[in-house]
Amino acid sequence: MALAIIYQSIPEEILLSVAEKKSAEEAWEAIKTMCVGVDRVKKAKVQTLRSELESLTMKETEQIDDFCMRLCGIVTNICVLGEIMEESYVVKKLLRAVPAKYLQIASTIEQFGNLEEMTVEETLGRLKAHEERIRGTTETSGNQLLLTEEEWMKKEAQNGQLLLTREEWLKKMSQNQKGKWDAESRNKEGNRGYRDKSKVRCFNCSILGHYASECRKPK
């Protein structure tokens, strides 16, 4: 009965290899050797997984949960092969692998937390809290930028001409936030605003008054 259950639970390609076994114990040992491998193969797999773990880094756009799943997946595979992985080692690796925007919270955890007793879940929770704070700050800045851009578009529509290109407007906004205005740039923008374009014909829409690079109509 045990042998029959084993035969029903394994893929067909493995079944052909153990079909000649006369007992469940022999079949089980054969399957374990094929799937897990002998000690030398296991050690080689552990070394490969450890190297992969050491080189693992979190991408700049990756979320904490996604990276932690990748990290824990490698750790689980190492443990399945019989290797012992201390939780403190995983916590330290998690703090080392985060990108630059998490360095401040990672340094704080290392300085004021006991990494030898801290769990992966606790470390993950602190990193996620920092991630949510960064996300909230980014969204707020984005909303403010969009509102300013809408005001700029409204002003453009009222004047009936394109005062600045988008790149020039973003550059001016950046300079304004820092409180520094370059006199040469101010003169350049002023001269551009008074340029006579009444006889300039757009190569995109064939309408007088602007260049093709400033055209608002579809290309």
Side-chain angles (χ1 to χ4, degrees), residues 200-215:
V200 175
R201 184 176 298 276
C202 175
F203 290 117
N204 185 51
C205 66
S206 300
I207 298 177
L208 295 175
H210 62 271
Y211 294 101
S213 61
E214 303 170 340
C215 187

Side-chain angles (χ1 to χ4, degrees), residues 40-96:
R40 287 180 295 179
V41 177
K42 289 170 60 177
K43 291 180 180 180
K45 288 184 178 180
V46 169
Q47 292 300 323
T48 301
L49 290 172
R50 279 190 172 274
S51 299
E52 184 179 352
L53 181 63
E54 284 297 326
S55 61
L56 186 67
T57 55
M58 181 178 172
K59 301 176 182 178
E60 192 70 30
T61 57
E62 192 174 14
Q63 295 186 356
I64 288 292
D65 284 334
D66 297 334
F67 174 72
C68 193
M69 288 181 61
R70 291 202 294 141
L71 177 66
C72 293
I74 297 176
V75 173
T76 300
N77 290 333
I78 294 176
C79 294
V80 168
L81 294 173
E83 190 77 3
I84 298 176
M85 291 289 296
E86 296 183 358
E87 191 164 16
S88 59
Y89 174 83
V90 181
V91 169
K92 294 175 183 178
K93 172 59 187 178
L94 179 58
L95 295 177
R96 291 198 310 269

Side-chain angles (χ1 to χ4, degrees), residues 171-183 186:
K171 181 179 179 181
K172 179 175 288 187
M173 287 297 300
S174 176
Q175 292 174 340
N176 188 40
Q177 290 174 356
K178 294 180 181 178
K180 296 180 180 179
W181 277 99
D182 189 274
R186 184 191 297 273

Side-chain angles (χ1 to χ4, degrees), residues 141-153:
S141 301
N143 292 336
Q144 292 177 352
L145 178 62
L146 289 176
L147 180 61
T148 308
E149 184 176 2
E150 289 175 359
E151 295 174 349
W152 173 74
M153 294 292 288

Side-chain angles (χ1 to χ4, degrees), residues 177-195:
Q177 290 174 356
K178 294 180 181 178
K180 296 180 180 179
W181 277 99
D182 189 274
E184 182 180 352
S185 177
R186 184 191 297 273
N187 293 334
K188 182 178 179 181
E189 297 299 334
N191 293 334
R192 180 173 299 181
Y194 290 102
R195 182 180 301 172

Side-chain angles (χ1 to χ4, degrees), residues 114-136:
N114 188 352
L115 301 184
E116 300 300 327
E117 298 180 359
M118 188 175 300
T119 63
V120 175
E121 290 78 9
E122 183 180 356
T123 308
L124 178 62
R126 295 185 180 184
L127 292 175
K128 287 184 65 176
H130 185 73
E131 181 182 55
E132 290 298 326
R133 185 170 184 178
I134 294 176
R135 185 180 304 171

